[in-house]
Amino acid sequence: MFERLQDRVNADTRLVRRGRLVDAVVLVGAGETRYRLTFRAGRIEAVEKGPFVMPGCTFALHADAEDWDRFAEARPAPGYHDLFALLKRRRLRIEGNLHPFMANLFYFKAVFAALRPEGA
């Protein structure tokens, strides 16, 4: 699922421009599977699938794989439509240095919304 983020985000020039100041490594947990997303100047440089031994990251987002699947639906149900809705429902954990995440909140929301089918 997260592998397709690189092409979708990098193809969206408005999104890349919005995140032009973002340099971060984000660890995404989907159940037991881990992905490391490397962001440079708003582009996703790399998406690596774990397992990792002590992966370094700026911050991490962890949720069950089923929750990410529901988040990525074309029309997600209430409570699964936004990262903070998942957080509020305790379906998502955010760990690490939250400053880059909060300072670029709309960028990261749009990045993860790119998991949804095109046109959704």
Side-chain angles (χ1 to χ4, degrees):
M1 168 193 305
F2 295 98
E3 293 90 349
R4 65 182 180 228
L5 273 181
Q6 186 173 15
D7 291 335
R8 289 190 175 178
V9 168
N10 292 346
D12 187 341
T13 56
R14 292 177 63 189
L15 185 55
V16 170
R17 178 166 168 68
R18 181 184 286 174
R20 66 189 180 279
L21 301 177
V22 174
D23 288 330
V25 176
V26 179
L27 186 68
V28 179
E32 296 298 318
T33 307
R34 302 283 185 262
Y35 297 89
R36 187 166 55 197
L37 285 61
T38 304
F39 293 84
R40 294 284 176 256
R43 300 178 62 82
I44 297 180
E45 257 185 14
V47 176
E48 303 165 83
K49 185 176 181 180
F52 304 107
V53 178
M54 299 180 65
C57 66
T58 308
F59 63 89
L61 305 173
H62 297 283
D64 290 337
E66 298 82 26
D67 293 327
W68 282 116
D69 289 341
R70 292 188 71 181
F71 176 84
E73 291 176 352
R75 305 186 101 204
Y80 293 91
H81 65 285
D82 183 74
L83 293 176
F84 273 83
L86 288 171
L87 184 67
K88 184 177 180 182
R89 294 173 56 102
R90 299 177 189 234
R91 309 303 299 177
L92 177 73
R93 285 183 297 123
I94 305 173
E95 301 170 343
N97 181 5
L98 297 185
H99 184 265
F101 177 70
M102 296 304 287
N104 298 285
L105 184 59
F106 289 117
Y107 171 74
F108 284 111
K109 284 184 171 190
V111 164
F112 287 98
L115 290 168
R116 298 185 179 125
E118 291 185 37

